[in-house]
Amino acid sequence: MSGRRVVIAGASGFMGRYFARRFAEDGDTVVTVGRSGADVAWGDTAALERAIDGADVLLNLAGKSVNCRYTEKNKAAIFSSRLLTTGELGRAVEAVASPPSLWLNASTATIYRHSDDRPMTDDGQIRSGFSVNVATSWEREFFAHTRPGVRQAALRMAIVLGDGSALTPLRNLARFGLGGTQHGGRTRGGRQMFSWVHIDDVYRAVRFIRDDASIDGPINISSPNPVQNRELMATLRRVVGARFGLPLNWWALEIGSFAIRSETELLLKSRWVLPSRLLEAGFEFRFPQLEPALRDITDGATLTG
């Protein structure tokens, strides 16, 4: 069903731009919230409440990218950009006469512990650490703003693959002959798990959740087929046509991550996540396997149906 009014917060980011375009293509009216170039600016309480009042769906994707060095300044910005925007939206939801029936808030599958012994389903184990603390604080703020008649779902997304995503530096490594297995961290031999999801399937999962009123709470959004790091890099080499890929040890990854202003956690933390609730509800992934997903993105042929 189309013709809904969808409010997207954080619409200037990689995912926000994609979602705004897709919802509009599907016939929905899109209202954006952001720092610049959006229909509504953060901090404009009256305008935000007008946008949310009577909307069908509120989708919050706001938050500073974690693809940066974890300096104290960046860590503070990562926290505040998530908690403050979620709190601002929550107060607006609580204040309006006709709140959206569905509020979807971004979260992350990095909330789960480093796992190379078994997969984490939607009730997986949560430990501690910077990324975990960000995720748990984010979800705590989100669920602190409950209101009768408003269904809330926290989207625990794996690493989202698309044009302009975290895939770009990985693809570049493969193209430059550095696309071998990444070694280091707690899991040896490149056996750390890499959970991923194609951005088209994230959008389709959002629509699926929208249309299934029984789904709420934390929801894993991840391909049902995560891969080990060595399989990830071998697949990338095939996709970009690289004949070989030098393996990278921890010290080389640290140097490379510093040079591109990122962190090694992307490659060394073992993320083994399964979308158990989505699968049980009947959701079907368009890109369940890694290689077709990578080829679709690399060839610029992302499906939009």
Side-chain angles (χ1 to χ4, degrees), residues 243-266:
R243 290 182 150 187
F244 66 93
L246 293 176
L248 297 177
N249 292 316
W250 176 85
W251 62 268
L253 287 173
E254 277 294 322
I255 293 172
S257 294
F258 181 81
I260 63 174
R261 313 305 298 164
S262 187
E263 288 285 339
T264 59
E265 183 184 41
L266 171 68

Side-chain angles (χ1 to χ4, degrees), residues 3-63:
R4 294 177 172 88
R5 180 150 63 93
V6 179
V7 177
I8 302 179
S12 63
F14 152 67
M15 292 186 60
R17 294 192 303 272
Y18 182 88
F19 275 57
R21 175 176 64 83
R22 292 294 303 275
F23 274 117
E25 289 173 348
D26 285 343
D28 294 313
T29 299
V30 176
V31 180
T32 59
V33 181
R35 285 185 294 275
S36 62
D39 300 314
V40 177
W42 292 113
D44 189 339
T45 301
L48 184 60
E49 291 181 1
R50 285 195 300 271
I52 290 176
D53 198 8
D56 298 287
V57 177
L58 171 59
L59 173 62
N60 181 25
L61 301 170

Side-chain angles (χ1 to χ4, degrees), residues 10-131:
S12 63
F14 152 67
M15 292 186 60
R17 294 192 303 272
Y18 182 88
F19 275 57
R21 175 176 64 83
R22 292 294 303 275
F23 274 117
E25 289 173 348
D26 285 343
D28 294 313
T29 299
V30 176
V31 180
T32 59
V33 181
R35 285 185 294 275
S36 62
D39 300 314
V40 177
W42 292 113
D44 189 339
T45 301
L48 184 60
E49 291 181 1
R50 285 195 300 271
I52 290 176
D53 198 8
D56 298 287
V57 177
L58 171 59
L59 173 62
N60 181 25
L61 301 170
K64 175 180 170 57
S65 173
V66 296
N67 187 23
C68 62
R69 295 297 290 178
Y70 289 167
T71 63
E72 291 305 313
K73 180 179 179 180
N74 283 339
K75 288 195 289 187
I78 288 169
F79 261 106
S80 63
S81 63
R82 286 161 174 74
L83 271 63
L84 295 180
T85 53
T86 300
E88 187 173 345
L89 292 172
R91 289 186 292 275
V93 167
E94 292 165 343
V96 299
S98 181
S101 58
L102 175 63
W103 178 9
L104 300 160
N105 212 72
S107 183
T108 173
T110 306
I111 197 169
Y112 301 117
R113 66 170 174 84
H114 178 105
S115 178
D116 53 13
D117 58 330
R118 66 180 179 85
M120 297 290 105
T121 57
D122 305 74
D123 57 353
Q125 294 176 320
I126 297 171
R127 292 288 189 260
S128 61
F130 171 69
S131 296

